[in-house]
Amino acid sequence: AATKPLVTLMFDELPTQPVNGLIFRGVTFGFEVEGVSSTDAFYNSGGPTATVVQPPVLEGDARGELTLHFDKPTNVLRFGVVLSCPECSLRPGFFVELLSPGGRSRGIIAVDTTSTPASRFGWAEGQFSYQGAALGTAVITFNSTFHPEPSFLRFALDNLTFKRIK
């Protein structure tokens, strides 16, 4: 059988729009804040330039939960995240829960973020990379304890890469 190619979303493929309920290239996006569906996460949004993200990005409220549901199982998942936490490191910066195609949790992976000179504002950035057993869904939550004012709690996600295995 031929090897399936990697799919990478650069977040410039569609006009700017909320991601909650968006279906594109085999991914259904969901976004909630405090358990309620939210339109405060946008595909093709402006964002910071850093090592792991470059505008346009998927950008939103860091108090939220971003869900990526794949129409075909994937065994590769990679993306970069930046949090609007100037000159700080967060341990962890975000969490990724991996779910099997049947919906069973394969565990939660914590990812640290660090401030880097590549980020214009010194924002905290981290890279997630997974290769392993088949996944059907990934649920991403962010450490939103870095600022007391909710309007300053933002994330940017970019270079979403996955590989369909069926």
Side-chain angles (χ1 to χ4, degrees), residues 8-88:
T8 299
L9 301 182
M10 305 291 289
F11 298 100
D12 62 355
E13 303 89 354
L14 298 171
T16 302
Q17 61 191 289
V19 296
N20 189 41
L22 177 65
I23 301 170
F24 182 64
R25 303 242 2 231
V27 181
T28 300
F29 295 88
F31 190 70
E32 296 182 345
V33 175
E34 298 175 355
V36 178
S37 291
S38 173
T39 58
D40 193 8
F42 298 91
Y43 199 102
N44 194 352
S45 182
T49 297
T51 305
V52 298
V53 303
Q54 301 79 35
V57 297
L58 190 165
E59 185 271 338
D61 185 336
R63 297 173 303 150
E65 177 180 278
L66 178 64
T67 302
L68 310 172
H69 179 75
F70 301 95
D71 68 346
K72 307 271 190 222
T74 181
N75 63 352
V76 172
L77 181 61
R78 292 191 300 258
F79 55 86
V81 167
V82 171
L83 298 171
S84 60
C85 184
E87 299 179 16
C88 73

Side-chain angles (χ1 to χ4, degrees), residues 80-130:
V81 167
V82 171
L83 298 171
S84 60
C85 184
E87 299 179 16
C88 73
S89 295
L90 298 169
R91 303 194 188 293
F94 62 98
F95 302 89
V96 183
E97 182 174 16
L98 304 173
L99 301 154
S100 72
R104 181 169 291 156
S105 179
R106 294 199 186 281
I108 298 173
I109 298 170
V111 181
D112 293 340
T113 57
T114 57
S115 176
T116 65
S119 173
R120 187 170 132 203
F121 299 106
W123 288 7
E125 60 180 298
Q127 179 76 39
F128 177 79
S129 185
Y130 170 84

